[in-house]
Amino acid sequence: MGLLEYQAKGLLASAGIAVPAGRVATTVTEAVAAAQQVGLPVAVKAQVPTGGRGKAGGIALARSVSEVEAAAQRILRLSIGGFPVQALLIERAWAGEISDATRQLEWYAAVTLDRHEQSLVALFSTAGGVDVEVVSRQTPWRMLRLPVAATGSWWPFQGRELVARAKIETCWTQPLNRLFAAMVNLAYREDALLVEINPLFPAPSGELWALDAKIERDEAAFFRHDQPPGAVTPPLDWTTLAREVSRLPEAQVAAVLENRARQAGLAYVRLTGDIGIIGNGAGLVMATVDAVQRLGGRPADFLDVGGGARRERVQDALQLVAADPQVRVILVNVLGGITRADEVAAGILAATGTLAERGRRLPLVVRLAGNRSEEGRALLSRSVTGAGGPIHVASSLTQAVQLAIETA
Amino acid sequence: MGVLVRRDSRILVQGITGREGRFHTARMLAYGSQVVAGVTPGKGGLTVEGVPVFETVSEARAQTHADVSVVFVPAPHAADAVAEAAAAGLSLVICITEGVPILDTVRVVAWCRQHGTRLIGPNCPGIIVPGQTLAGILPGEMFRPGPVAVLSRSGTLAYEVAAALGDEGLGQSTCIGVGGDPVIGTRFTDLLPLVAADPATEAIVLIGEIGGQDENEAAAMLPALGRPVFALLAGTAAPAGKRMGHAGAIISRPQETVSAKTAALRAAGATVCSSPEELAQAVAARLRVTS
């Protein structure tokens, strides 16, 4: 999960990495106060969990109090990538303090997970800035790459190596060693799978400044860090969720449903079709989504209830998918191994009952196989007239997918 | 024969007193596996399903000669448990636990290598050699002895494939779930030479998915194996940049898509199928021709 820029910079500062003085503001008044504290000129930067802020007008340079007011007012009204701007970072700008020639220097430094190496790797380039992805695609030799020891040690030779390969002056060896040692430490301390500084500004004074930063933390490690905001989860209530979703612009629906699913402990990705898909096990659910698409249907989501799911979990899963207005039929594909198919059937019936009470009647296609699937199928077939709409019980995945496509 | 585990493998269960550990210990015993010891710190001296529980892995190993550990310890302490088993000298550790922090896995993979221990997982269903032993959580009743080795990044999809193979009258020589995390102890490329060298194996099934390049790397190895390889890849319809259930199932680069992996595997001579049924039929057709 990605942190906002001000959170990332706070962590960098705590690791001893130089970042421009900055403060967070949520209103125009706060923005002006923040600008006066850090000193003009300032950059006014939208804090949103998505990229492309600059192009969307979410960053402005302000040289006076009235410019800060105008910029803050304008940016706080923006919505970027479906996210309304709720906070600004007011940051001391570099403009005017250094010569234009040096200001052009934009380096790139990152520490990130490399699956092949099975460790973190350090990335460094003297061609940073907004087009760094193009640089690493078209001139890969300009993006230097060094594996990091699994123990999290950064060796001083690695700084010498970077300097030699980047063909920069040796006076940068020490600052780069300090920077990368700090970034690797930070990654391990915070369970970050990406610590990226771009641009990294090599100041004439010999310091390296992090002008923008991205940090992504491993969600699996949240238990040993501060919980992200909103970690206290109320039980999933269909009516509330459906009402919230129905009021959202389409661009925000996916983020809200995915966030709610994460809180409920469900692995869920929203897609763009009309066939809701629920199953157990990531591979099986992916294969189900693939099968729907291959046979001409349009999957509305991927939802994995995980192994050994109990009825409450299945019930939550169905309610979540049913809260998505694009869904016209739900396909449940469960292969009972550790999961008990009768437990799943009980969850399905509980969910359809609740949904029917609230007036959401969706046809269901259910394929149950494996452990206790006969009991599960028997449970379902006793209530084929199901309060929530018809429940079709299919024997094979292919048949289930075809039925779902015909129904949607 | 079986790869990595055999009928006489002596299994230790770490986290045996927990809900999952206890449940799956009973299932493994019912399957005929030799579960000889359990470890839960603070619970030494107890007995679970007739299996003695020890305080430490080294003590359990000294008393019972256990050589394989199956880890059910909850995610915050799972890497520690794996590290303990490696340090105690176990040759194989299977980490079932899902949700292990990735940097814990990075450290423990290096630690296992240092101790000469093979790690399977984390976030995996384990290994079954049908008719001989079960070391993990695979549903034994869905497998039967036969000539097909199955290597899979997904648990349930492997069960689905086993069931489809069963419908064609085919069983499995070994089925190994390597795990759904971005960093795992043992990859397809580590296992392919082992299963190909097993005389019980006549065909190999790879069940892969989006994310990472383990399938692409496996492709490079296929021509030298001397066994027909069949593959099923999940995630054709997955959008880039989204994590599809498994922590490791995410497309970050073009080479990590199903189409890129399909192309790599086909170029290496593998038969890539689009559903478990189609795959089972292709394997059956091929084995009928050769037999």
Side-chain angles (χ1 to χ4, degrees), chain A residues 120-135:
Chain A
L120 295 178
V121 290
L123 301 173
F124 176 69
S125 178
T126 53
V130 287
D131 293 327
V132 72
E133 279 162 26
V134 179
V135 169

Side-chain angles (χ1 to χ4, degrees), chain B residues 229-255:
Chain B
V229 175
F230 301 82
L232 180 65
L233 300 169
T236 307
K242 289 284 188 181
R243 219 170 275 289
M244 305 298 276
H246 281 152
I250 178 167
I251 299 169
S252 321
R253 304 182 208 188
Q255 307 94 292

